Amino acid sequence: MILQIKVGGLEIKKMTGVKNLKNLWMPFSANKAFKANPRLMNKSEGLFYKKVDGTPVLDGTSGLWCCNAGHNHPKIVKAIHRQAEKLDYAPFFQMGHPMGFKAAKKLLDFIPSNDFQYVFFTNSGSESVDTALKIALGYQQHRGKRGKKILVGRERAYHGVGFGGISVGGLPLNKRHFSLLQNVDHIISTHNLEKNAFSRGLPSWGKNLADDLLRIIEKYGADQIAAFITEPLAGSTGVLIPPKGYLERIREICTEHDILLIFDEVITGFGRLGTPFAVQYFDVTPDIIVCAKGLTSGTVPMGAVIIKKEIYDAYQKEDPKTIDFFHGYTYSAHPLASAALIATLEVYSDEGLFNNVSELSSYWEEALHSLKGIDHVIDIRNLGLVGGIEMSSENGKVGKRGYDVFEKMFHDENILIRVTGDIIALSPPLIADKKHIDRIIDSLRRIIPLC
Ligand SMILES: Cc1ncc(COP(=O)(O)O)c(C=O)c1O
């Protein structure tokens, strides 16, 4: 259903559920185009949203990679509701409430290594990234490595929208117009269609790209570099899958040169690859883990930074009454978010949702790669329950084809997908089954050649 904004107020209300769409400046959106042809949903359950007119929409992206347990899971909803009735808010600066501590312990149970013993709560992935970068810089100072002030990221990385995150991130449009952090550099991206197009799972070419970190080390000296941050698998920038052996090599280099390794697991955390974190999937352990999204299955905003004991210990002062880290958010470990976290992690375990991903992933891979050969498709990538379909751009108009596919999938096929430029990113909730996969793929097979 296409709505032109010119129709009268009453008509708009009937079709969108609100009187006008003017006052909200929507994030990362083409505001004008949206308001002329809105896509609004006002209910959700399991794998489906409902449009305002009641039409179900299959969620092919877990919202924004976050509703891993499916929508409105009754156990999570109940836990939030109960907590809201009991304690709405308590400060966490020099104070606290039991749920925050329980939530930290519950989260650490998902990490196999006993080295990780501390959790710092935030409200989002962006805040978690900026917190992790600060923790890394402070750690180097506290242990006397005063020269270690440089942060290294990777081209085509997405680490949220804080000033730290955009600086270490590798997306020029997200940085344009803003002052960035000093002392930041980037290694090259792993994305290479010429070598790796249509790879299934981890591409076999490209492990040596990790050695680009040696170039940066050579440039500044290891004694100047505090940390390297990377997404184990880059989701938001178009599903960029690390080559075999790449993360292992990155780990080796960081260890050898005494550089902290930060994994940004905002997308890969909580089952997207069939394991609690990418840490377990790749068997590569960083020094700091950043997460958010699936932490509460998207129900209440929350992010977390998971920290090794030696890093936390470096912050501890002789005087126990001195504040050890001058950083925090009013809503760090918010009671509702803490309750949602505990219930969500229980749902993941009790319902074996990560196993579902492992069991489905080969069907998912086959289904995705069955799109090879259709018009415009120049690459297909997959890992766990993540899929990327890269399309050629239409006459140099980068993003037009992606946008058209996205719109048609929503309006004509009632399926929510996500696009980055001309790359389609898929990441359905972990409760998906074969029939949902078939429906997404069949629709894409119809729609892509039309765009
Ligand atoms: C890898 C990664 N880091 C950070 C973020 C930012 O998270 P948020 O939007 O919650 O701030 C995202 C969001 O997609 C992400 O994919």
Side-chain angles (χ1 to χ4, degrees), residues 124-126 129 158-160 231 236 264 266-267 293:
S124 67
S126 300
V129 165
Y158 182 67
H159 296 297
E231 301 152 276
S236 307
D264 181 345
V266 167
I267 277 180
K293 296 194 190 260

Side-chain angles (χ1 to χ4, degrees), residues 39-78:
R39 295 170 287 279
L40 290 172
M41 303 168 298
N42 66 355
K43 276 194 185 147
S44 60
E45 191 181 345
L47 264 137
F48 292 88
Y49 285 107
K50 272 200 178 146
K51 291 182 182 173
V52 181
D53 68 3
T55 312
V57 174
L58 175 58
D59 184 359
T61 55
S62 302
L64 273 179
W65 308 83
C66 49
C67 307
N68 292 7
H71 295 278
N72 289 58
H73 192 294
K75 279 194 191 150
I76 306 173
V77 172
K78 199 165 164 192

Side-chain angles (χ1 to χ4, degrees), residues 75 345-353:
K75 279 194 191 150
L345 300 196
E346 277 171 12
V347 165
Y348 292 148
S349 304
D350 296 350
E351 300 184 10
L353 295 188

Side-chain angles (χ1 to χ4, degrees), residues 236-262:
S236 307
T237 59
V239 184
L240 313 180
I241 311 228
K244 268 182 204 139
Y246 176 86
L247 292 171
E248 290 85 337
R249 180 70 188 127
I250 289 282
R251 176 68 274 183
E252 265 171 31
I253 297 171
C254 287
T255 305
E256 204 176 307
H257 294 274
D258 191 24
I259 293 168
L260 286 178
L261 175 58
I262 305 172

